[in-house]
Amino acid sequence: LPDGRPIALVEVKRFSRDPLEGETQASDYADRVKRRYGIEPFIFLTNGDQVWFWHRSLYPPRQVSGFFTPEDLERLAFIDRFNEPPSQGLVNTVTVDRGYQVEAVKTIAERIELGYRKFLLVLATGTGKTRVAIAAVDLLRQQNWVQRVLFLADRRELVKQARGSFKEYLPDEPRAWIDSGEIDDAAGIHLATYPGMMGLYKRLSPGYYDLIICDESHRSIYNRYRAILEHFDAIHLGLTATPVDFIDRNTFELFDCEKGLPTIEYG
């Protein structure tokens, strides 16, 4: 941290050992740091091949694609310090005004509070998928649960429509369309096509985004584009009207749906 306090610690094991073997030892170190500095440090467990991230105050250890930058960790520390329970936030009924839309946002908030990090919304065409996503972003930002959001779609026209919707319902939130390879770090909302992100996602840290929204998630994020989601350690929200469950393209598996059931479904 800027004041010199440690923000994270790394427990390293030999390449031949499971990095999770260091969990108890790292937890002891973290307890000492907390007693001495009054801060809950983040923990990385690694064997030089795998990297696991442990956000002790919220989640159990989970495998990530690499180490986070100091800026990522400072943002997460801010969220740790100031977040409020998502379920206690108010849903903006100007953005979503139908009962099933409000219920969808509330369900996301409640499940995030329970430790879930992947959600699939199956809503029929014309029922307001993007508005539900924007209302969820609004609530999670109000409760200091997320700061930086990425909205992905497979066609430029869909990105353009989403940008207009974000401008309409979150007019005060800086947003940027990632199209030319430039990243606007000051914008809290980034929008891009899947191909547009493919050329630059590796330039960004695994901890760069707090939330990624995948529009039309039934047709675009398998095989090649799936690498984008696997790179970023973020909450994932999938939006679709027609999920698929083919062997090589399974929307439910991609979003960890229990028993093959979406988080929310409205026909």
Side-chain angles (χ1 to χ4, degrees), residues 205-220:
S205 153
Y208 191 80
Y209 291 110
D210 302 309
L211 169 66
I212 297 178
I213 301 166
C214 304
D215 195 21
E216 301 299 345
S217 57
H218 63 283
R219 66 189 181 203
S220 298

Side-chain angles (χ1 to χ4, degrees), residues 175-233:
R175 58 205 163 271
W177 187 341
I178 301 174
D179 192 30
S180 61
E182 296 296 322
I183 301 290
D184 183 358
D185 292 324
I189 308 293
H190 289 172
L191 303 100
T193 62
Y194 294 100
M197 277 301 293
M198 282 301 293
L200 55 82
Y201 77 90
K202 290 183 180 178
R203 286 167 35 194
L204 301 174
S205 153
Y208 191 80
Y209 291 110
D210 302 309
L211 169 66
I212 297 178
I213 301 166
C214 304
D215 195 21
E216 301 299 345
S217 57
H218 63 283
R219 66 189 181 203
S220 298
I221 43 179
Y222 309 98
N223 302 323
R224 183 167 176 251
Y225 295 145
R226 186 170 184 162
I228 298 171
L229 295 186
E230 292 175 343
H231 176 74
F232 293 114
D233 179 62

Side-chain angles (χ1 to χ4, degrees), residues 83-180:
N83 73 66
E84 300 289 341
S87 64
Q88 295 180 13
L90 296 177
V91 179
N92 189 329
T93 52
V94 173
T95 307
V96 288
D97 54 3
R98 303 173 187 173
Y100 67 87
Q101 296 172 334
V102 174
E103 188 61 31
V105 177
K106 287 182 177 179
T107 298
I108 293 169
E110 291 166 358
R111 291 204 176 191
I112 282 179
E113 202 168 316
L114 293 172
Y116 290 85
R117 292 177 57 81
K118 293 186 179 182
F119 308 92
L120 178 63
L121 270 59
V122 178
L123 301 177
T125 301
T127 56
K129 293 189 295 295
T130 303
R131 287 172 62 177
V132 169
I134 292 172
V137 170
D138 189 14
L139 185 149
L140 293 174
R141 288 184 64 84
Q142 285 179 33
Q143 299 303 100
N144 288 310
W145 208 264
V146 303
Q147 288 190 16
R148 189 175 284 147
V149 177
L150 173 64
F151 183 97
L152 290 169
D154 60 354
R155 299 200 310 273
R156 291 177 60 86
E157 185 59 33
L158 292 175
V159 175
K160 182 179 180 181
Q161 291 173 9
R163 183 175 64 170
S165 296
F166 272 101
K167 182 178 180 180
E168 179 180 357
Y169 296 110
L170 292 179
D172 298 327
E173 185 58 51
R175 58 205 163 271
W177 187 341
I178 301 174
D179 192 30
S180 61

Side-chain angles (χ1 to χ4, degrees), residues 7-9 40-44 53-55 73-74 76-77 80:
I7 194 170
L9 59 89
E40 175 74 61
F42 303 107
I43 297 172
F44 290 95
F53 177 61
W54 192 4
H55 190 165
L73 295 172
E74 287 182 28
L76 289 176
D80 259 7

Side-chain angles (χ1 to χ4, degrees), residues 36 52 89 99 116 237:
R36 181 171 179 180
W52 290 69
Y116 290 85
L237 173 59

